[in-house]
Amino acid sequence: MAVAVLGLLRELGLVPIRLPQNARQVPQDVLQRSLPRGALQFGFELGTGVRTYVSASAPYVLAVALLLGGQRLHVAMLAGVGFGAGRALTPLARRAAGTGDRWDADLRVRLRTITVTAGVVLVAAFSVLAVRQL
Amino acid sequence: MTRTLPWPVRAARRRGADPLVPLLLLTVGALAAAAYGHVLTWAMIGGLAGYTLSGSV
């Protein structure tokens, strides 16, 4: 839970922590060489953080919570599947909106709300889980 | 000739797919699952963590 609080404080700009990342984008020619293989490579590099920007604390909070909480493999896998689904929600919601650039602009405006709210929810959820274990 | 949806439908579609909607659903899901102590809490938290990277590629 302490890590979740630290993550929230970072999202609020109260604690300056640089998140470890390989801040590079997967080049577009990966998809041009072979679309199926390129899509697989793109998803792997993005999902595992090999080459991507990590702009929020929540993924690290989740990873640390799984590690320090001594969670079993199936729990970590559940979290991983959830993570992938969460990543997929962005393009899915964008497509569902049907407004393209307008949705992108809306996202830019709402991004801080998303990251801060997620930080609050992580603190709350871990608190509830901790209380249930008492 | 392409058919455009009526304005109320387009407006509802835009509201329903607002970037905050997945956040709301994941928030409710994570807190509800946590309240029941369900292992799905971790999947919901994972989803939330993934969604926070919406601004990253």
Side-chain angles (χ1 to χ4, degrees), chain A residues 46-70:
Chain A
L46 208 69
T48 57
V50 171
R51 269 192 290 194
T52 189
Y53 291 87
V54 182
S55 54
S57 311
Y60 286 106
V61 171
L62 173 65
V64 171
L66 286 167
L67 193 65
L68 295 182

Side-chain angles (χ1 to χ4, degrees), chain A residues 26-107:
Chain A
V26 182
Q28 286 187 354
D29 64 356
V30 161
L31 295 168
Q32 288 164 0
R33 279 178 257 144
S34 163
L35 189 57
R37 189 175 172 180
L40 202 63
Q41 180 181 346
F42 188 90
F44 175 80
E45 291 199 40
L46 208 69
T48 57
V50 171
R51 269 192 290 194
T52 189
Y53 291 87
V54 182
S55 54
S57 311
Y60 286 106
V61 171
L62 173 65
V64 171
L66 286 167
L67 193 65
L68 295 182
Q71 296 298 331
R72 294 186 177 180
L73 181 61
H74 74 279
V75 173
M77 290 178 71
L78 253 176
V81 169
F83 180 82
R87 279 294 252 159
L89 280 175
T90 305
L92 288 173
R94 188 180 191 271
R95 176 114 172 118
T99 56
D101 291 343
R102 205 164 168 191
W103 192 90
D104 293 341
D106 289 345
L107 176 65

Side-chain angles (χ1 to χ4, degrees), chain B residues 1-39:
Chain B
M1 184 172 90
T2 53
R3 295 177 61 189
T4 53
L5 296 168
W7 181 85
V9 175
R10 279 186 282 127
R13 183 181 176 185
R14 190 183 168 204
R15 270 195 297 274
D18 187 280
L20 290 180
V21 170
L23 174 71
L24 181 67
L25 295 173
L26 289 166
T27 295
V28 170
L31 294 177
Y36 282 99
H38 202 282
V39 70

